[in-house]
Amino acid sequence: MGFRKDFAWGVASSSYQNEGSVTADGKGLSVWDVFTHEEGKVADKSNGDVASDQYRLWEKDVALLEELAVNSYRFSISWPRVLPEGIGRVNEKGLDYYDRLVDALLSKGITPYITLFHWDMPYELYLKGGWLNRDMPRYFAEYAEVVIRRLSDRVQHWITQNEPQCYISSSLENGEHAPGLRLGKKDLFLAAHHSLLSHGYGAQAIKAAAKTRPVIGYAPASWWLWSPLTENKEDVEACRNKTFAALENPLGGTGFWLDPVLLGRYPLDFLQTWEPYLPRISQEDMKVISEPIDFVGMNVYQTYVGRAGGEGTCENVSHRKGYAKTMASWPVTPKALYWGPKFYWERYHKPIVITENGMSNEDWIHLDGRVHDPQRIDFTHRYLSSLKRAAEEGVDIRGYFHWTFTDNFEWSRGYEERFGMVYVDFETRERVIKDSGFWYRDVILSNGECL
């Protein structure tokens, strides 16, 4: 027993990080289009105006996906490419692009998994207040309906939002991401509540407009995962409790973003601690936010390591001397794909799809014309082995999407980070499948049996 026979093996990408063609065919501006053109916002002073150039090179990319033997591809829709002002006028040429991409994928037997929002909010909606505007959930539902009506005759798998921790906390709290604000707690919790409402209204819009039975997911970042140092009961329980705690860092955590969606309530420790800063939260709001979905998307790169401390606490023992880490300085902790899905499954009883997992590496084209990335192969092998263990123990895992398909624009790090299984020369946009891509193809063709 290992992975399901119908397991979704894929790679993932996002619109702003890959498409480029920033104003082509009537596309409107996003907050990232504006933010990256301001001095000092991106490490290498770059932007996503061209990125991996997928908008122009989509046929080449579909051919590469076929060569990788993936059966699924996760990508996102650019909201301002479809609705240049965020609401109202529909840009048919923008929708035509996604039509072509979907048709090409299906012709190769590749199932599209579409994310509706991967951070590129229309700039015109930001000028209306963005996530602080109570109308944002309605705007999001309107956008979702436009996309669903156009593509749902062929697309069934939908993800409403990607990593709200980033577009709320990193964007509005510490200013690292677009639009680069530093808001206080009261405004942050209001924005977060509106984000959750947008997810709920978005899920309702998908169900109302879908032409085929939709399969709906939601993909918050799984940053606040804790793996036990040992498998004794005390360490496991300490890490389980710490994973879902919403007391110390609610906006970056797990419980805050998943309990309302899957349990219909905000975590009690969050409500008690942050009550003076909270917006009015009605029962009707919670009913919308907890609109039933079909799977939880987990974006997993790392985990903390903990052990039971005194009085039921969890002691952090993550960073020991010389610990393994990626080029992004993220620790290599393969058990994240065992304990994370296990804890989620036991708490929420909802099927799981690993919507992102991967590593930043130092990659280049070698003298033999190939890109040798043994670290990524070893990393992915270890993580997938942990995921396989979780599946063998009964966790309902439906798929795995490696982040990322091609090297791309990595937000505030620009082009300094390479996560792809396909190398991109950012001067010529030449693509070369890395050794890890060929290795991953063998894993897919064996349905994980070769791990």
Side-chain angles (χ1 to χ4, degrees), residues 171-242:
S171 297
L172 306 182
E173 183 175 24
N174 63 33
E176 179 184 352
H177 286 178
L181 304 184
R182 294 179 180 271
L183 304 180
K185 284 290 188 288
K186 192 171 184 64
D187 286 349
L188 286 168
F189 290 137
L190 179 65
H193 186 63
H194 290 165
S195 167
L196 284 161
L197 272 171
S198 296
H199 155 75
Y201 279 115
Q204 290 180 348
I206 293 170
K207 292 178 182 179
K211 298 176 182 177
T212 55
R213 182 192 175 279
V215 181
I216 303 171
Y218 168 61
S222 299
W223 292 344
W224 199 244
L225 292 178
W226 287 77
S227 295
L229 182 63
T230 74
E231 296 196 13
N232 69 53
K233 182 179 179 181
E234 292 76 18
D235 286 353
V236 171
E237 289 307 307
C239 287
R240 185 199 311 274
N241 293 335
K242 189 74 168 177

Side-chain angles (χ1 to χ4, degrees), residues 307-379:
R307 64 184 175 194
E311 299 180 358
T313 62
C314 185
E315 180 183 350
N316 188 350
V317 294
S318 300
H319 296 162
R320 287 165 282 182
K321 291 181 180 179
Y323 66 91
K325 57 185 178 181
T326 69
M327 290 302 298
S329 293
W330 297 349
V332 178
T333 54
K335 289 183 179 179
L337 279 192
Y338 171 72
W339 291 108
K342 182 178 176 67
F343 286 163
Y344 275 40
W345 173 248
E346 291 173 350
R347 184 177 181 87
Y348 299 120
H349 307 289
K350 188 65 69 174
I352 291 165
V353 174
I354 304 303
T355 37
E356 290 183 23
N357 172 248
M359 65 165 286
S360 171
N361 196 40
E362 195 71 73
D363 302 322
W364 62 87
I365 298 177
H366 289 234
L367 290 173
D368 61 2
R370 297 184 60 176
V371 180
H372 304 295
D373 56 341
Q375 292 92 341
R376 184 172 288 107
I377 293 173
D378 186 79
F379 176 100

Side-chain angles (χ1 to χ4, degrees), residues 24-65:
D25 297 330
K27 176 186 170 294
L29 293 176
S30 76
V31 291
W32 276 95
D33 293 322
V34 176
F35 180 80
T36 56
H37 283 267
E38 296 181 9
E39 186 68 27
K41 299 301 185 183
V42 179
D44 61 1
K45 301 181 180 180
S46 65
N47 55 61
D49 287 4
V50 180
S52 307
D53 211 10
Q54 189 175 81
Y55 189 78
R56 291 194 319 108
L57 303 177
W58 62 272
E59 290 174 293
K60 181 176 291 187
D61 282 350
V62 171
L64 285 167
L65 289 167

Side-chain angles (χ1 to χ4, degrees), residues 257-434:
W257 293 104
L258 279 175
D259 281 11
V261 172
L262 299 174
L263 301 181
R265 63 177 187 272
Y266 279 106
L268 182 61
D269 58 348
F270 163 74
L271 294 174
Q272 291 174 337
T273 304
W274 300 101
E275 191 275 333
Y277 301 96
L278 302 185
R280 178 179 174 273
I281 301 172
S282 68
Q283 285 302 114
E284 182 59 32
D285 282 355
M286 299 313 300
K287 182 178 179 181
V288 171
I289 290 169
S290 59
E291 178 71 27
I293 60 175
D294 300 293
F295 68 91
V296 177
M298 293 187 71
N299 292 1
V300 184
Y301 294 91
Q302 57 183 304
T303 180
Y304 296 94
V305 179
R307 64 184 175 194
E311 299 180 358
T313 62
C314 185
E315 180 183 350
N316 188 350
V317 294
S318 300
H319 296 162
R320 287 165 282 182
K321 291 181 180 179
Y323 66 91
K325 57 185 178 181
T326 69
M327 290 302 298
S329 293
W330 297 349
V332 178
T333 54
K335 289 183 179 179
L337 279 192
Y338 171 72
W339 291 108
K342 182 178 176 67
F343 286 163
Y344 275 40
W345 173 248
E346 291 173 350
R347 184 177 181 87
Y348 299 120
H349 307 289
K350 188 65 69 174
I352 291 165
V353 174
I354 304 303
T355 37
E356 290 183 23
N357 172 248
M359 65 165 286
S360 171
N361 196 40
E362 195 71 73
D363 302 322
W364 62 87
I365 298 177
H366 289 234
L367 290 173
D368 61 2
R370 297 184 60 176
V371 180
H372 304 295
D373 56 341
Q375 292 92 341
R376 184 172 288 107
I377 293 173
D378 186 79
F379 176 100
T380 312
H381 194 159
R382 291 172 186 267
Y383 276 74
L384 281 174
S385 294
S386 289
L387 187 65
K388 187 177 182 180
R389 178 189 172 191
E392 289 171 344
E393 292 182 10
V395 179
D396 189 355
I397 300 166
R398 303 290 177 90
Y400 172 89
F401 290 83
H402 190 275
W403 184 268
T404 177
F405 169 34
T406 63
D407 294 332
N408 59 22
F409 178 83
E410 280 296 332
W411 308 112
S412 61
R413 300 300 300 165
Y415 298 98
E416 293 185 351
E417 307 282 357
R418 290 186 179 272
F419 280 84
M421 282 189 164
V422 175
Y423 178 91
V424 175
D425 181 320
F426 291 111
E427 296 298 322
T428 65
R429 269 63 192 182
E430 176 190 4
R431 282 123 157 88
V432 178
I433 296 178
K434 303 176 188 179

